[in-house]
Amino acid sequence: MAVFVDLNIVNTTDRKRLQSLIETAAHLGYSTVALNHVVELQGKRQEIAKPTSVSELFPSPPIVQGRSKPIKIVTRLTVIVSDASHCNDLRSTSPHTRSYDIVAVLPKTEKLFHVACMTLDVDLICINVVEKQPYHFRRPSVNGNIIMSSAAERSLELRGPYDIANLGLLFGLSEGDAKAAVSTNCRAALLHGETRKTALGVIYTVRKAPAVEEKDEERPLSKRAKTKSD
C-alpha cells in the first residue's frame, strides 16, 4: 500500500485552522505532512525563526484513514531568493535552518533557478505553477525528483492523493510518475533532509601499504644476515 505525503501545508498562527488542516489530511489518507514556513530574504544575514514545535501543537496527532498509525508532521522552510547574494546567505544564514526537516528554495529568476539546481544543498526547489514564470524550464533541469503538494491554507483546499496523482497526468506525467510525485519522491526528499541535518562531513580512510623489506646492504652491520660460514 502506497504511503502518501503532502509536503506543503501552509503554517499559520491560527491553531484551530492548522489542527483542522492536519485532521483533514489524515482523513484523506496522507501519512505525512509538512508545515511550511516561508521566508523572503531581503537583507544580509537575515535571521530565520525556529520551526514550530510539533509536539506542543499536536500532543495526539490524528490517525491516518485506513492505517493504525497517527499522521507524521514535519517542518519545512521555504526561502524565496531574488538575488545571487541570497544563495550565499542561504548556505549559512541561520543556525535554525538546520533545525527544519526540509529546506526548500524558490528562485525568482532563471539564473537563480540554475544556481539552485547545481550548487545549493537544499531538499526541494520550488516552482509556483499558478503564476506565469518569466522564463522557460528546460526538461533536464526538472526531470528528476518531481513532487506535487497542495500549499493548502484551509481544509477545503486539500484534495485526496489519488486526485492529485490524476492532476499530474494533465501535466504530462506518466501514471507511475504522477503517483510517485505524492509518495516515493516525497519520501526521498524527506530522506535527503535527514541526511542534510545529520551529515557533518565525510572521513576517508586509506590503508597504509606494508613497509618494503630493507635490502641487506642497507641494514646495519650488526643486523646483516650471515651468508658465509665462519
Side-chain angles (χ1 to χ4, degrees):
M1 185 176 180
V3 176
F4 296 111
V5 182
D6 189 338
L7 293 183
N8 190 359
I9 299 295
V10 176
N11 197 6
T12 174
T13 55
D14 188 336
R15 183 167 180 170
K16 289 185 178 179
R17 182 194 296 182
L18 201 54
Q19 289 175 333
S20 177
L21 274 167
I22 301 302
E23 290 172 357
T24 302
H27 179 74
L28 290 173
Y30 289 99
S31 295
T32 304
V33 293
L35 301 183
N36 188 18
H37 178 66
V38 182
V39 174
E40 184 167 5
L41 291 182
Q42 295 177 349
K44 293 184 177 180
R45 301 294 179 183
Q46 183 174 339
E47 189 68 19
I48 293 176
K50 294 181 180 180
T52 301
S53 176
V54 174
S55 59
E56 294 180 4
L57 188 61
F58 297 98
S60 300
I63 301 298
V64 178
Q65 179 72 21
R67 294 178 176 269
S68 59
K69 295 182 179 180
I71 191 170
K72 181 179 180 181
I73 306 169
V74 299
T75 58
R76 166 179 165 176
L77 171 68
T78 299
V79 181
I80 302 174
V81 295
S82 56
D83 188 84
S85 63
H86 297 160
C87 295
N88 296 326
D89 294 340
L90 183 59
R91 293 184 177 95
S92 59
T93 185
S94 168
H96 299 322
T97 302
R98 186 177 289 273
S99 302
Y100 285 85
D101 298 304
I102 299 174
V103 175
V105 62
L106 197 162
K108 301 295 286 185
T109 67
E110 183 175 11
K111 180 179 179 180
L112 291 174
F113 175 78
H114 291 296
V115 169
C117 291
M118 299 299 294
T119 66
L120 291 184
D121 184 20
V122 293
D123 308 312
L124 294 175
I125 299 172
C126 306
I127 301 172
N128 192 344
V129 295
V130 300
E131 296 180 359
K132 184 177 181 180
Q133 301 299 317
Y135 58 94
H136 296 285
F137 300 101
R138 299 176 183 177
R139 186 171 182 83
S141 300
V142 295
N143 206 28
N145 192 15
I146 295 176
I147 74 166
M148 293 188 292
S149 56
S150 66
E153 298 182 19
R154 295 174 176 81
S155 299
L156 291 177
E157 296 175 349
L158 283 171
R159 295 293 181 270
Y162 288 103
D163 292 336
I164 301 300
N166 289 334
L167 185 62
L169 300 178
L170 300 178
F171 293 152
L173 297 178
S174 66
E175 183 177 351
D177 289 342
K179 187 176 180 180
V182 289
S183 57
T184 54
N185 290 352
C186 299
R187 297 203 305 273
L190 288 168
L191 179 60
H192 188 278
E194 291 179 7
T195 304
R196 174 185 49 78
K197 289 176 64 176
T198 57
L200 298 179
V202 178
I203 299 175
Y204 292 92
T205 59
V206 179
R207 185 177 180 180
K208 186 177 181 181
V212 179
E213 187 177 356
E214 295 177 324
K215 294 182 179 179
D216 192 57
E217 299 79 36
E218 298 175 352
R219 297 180 182 179
L221 290 175
S222 59
K223 294 185 178 181
R224 290 184 186 177
K226 293 184 180 180
T227 57
K228 295 181 180 180
S229 58
D230 293 337

